[in-house]
Amino acid sequence: MTTVTFLTEEGRIVGFDSAGHSGYAEEGEDIVCAAITSAIRLVESTVNDVLGLAASVKINEKTATISLRLPGGLSEADENVCQVLLTGLMVYFTELHDEFPDNIEILEG
């Protein structure tokens, strides 16, 4: 199962940790894993490559973990965009959990 933990501080999402393989199917055929990875890559690319914000991203393929942390000191506009992106990611993963409850779990920490 993949567990995604959204990290919050003072009512804002500051990042997330994703850990584990979903176990829906064999590697290369796992649609749940592909959906999770694709959504994470979209958010990370938007934050770092489109907005140019230099969020910290750590990936460990051996342990199947991905972590993202927003940088501090964001402008109000960048903060708003990041909150929309991360909230959208949380909603998407929650909907994915509703469809595949044995393969993805969503937590807030």
Side-chain angles (χ1 to χ4, degrees):
M1 175 179 289
T2 299
T3 301
V4 183
T5 305
F6 285 88
L7 308 169
T8 59
E9 289 179 3
E10 299 176 4
R12 64 187 276 270
I13 303 170
V14 296
F16 61 84
D17 296 322
S18 173
H21 293 287
S22 75
Y24 180 78
E26 295 296 320
E27 187 175 333
E29 297 179 14
D30 191 325
I31 62 171
V32 177
C33 186
I36 294 166
T37 302
S38 179
I40 288 173
R41 285 185 174 184
L42 175 63
V43 169
E44 185 275 326
S45 295
T46 302
V47 169
N48 283 336
D49 300 331
V50 175
L51 297 173
L53 299 180
S56 170
V57 178
K58 295 180 182 174
I59 300 169
N60 185 327
E61 292 185 23
K62 285 186 178 184
T63 60
T65 58
I66 302 172
S67 297
L68 180 138
R69 300 291 184 276
L70 293 177
L74 296 176
S75 70
E76 185 177 341
D78 286 340
E79 177 69 28
N80 288 338
V81 170
C82 287
Q83 291 308 302
V84 167
L85 286 168
L86 291 172
T87 300
L89 185 65
M90 187 184 319
V91 169
Y92 173 69
F93 284 161
T94 300
E95 291 173 356
L96 200 58
H97 166 76
D98 291 346
E99 191 171 346
F100 301 97
D102 295 332
N103 305 100
I104 179 171
E105 178 178 38
I106 311 307
L107 304 171
E108 287 186 52

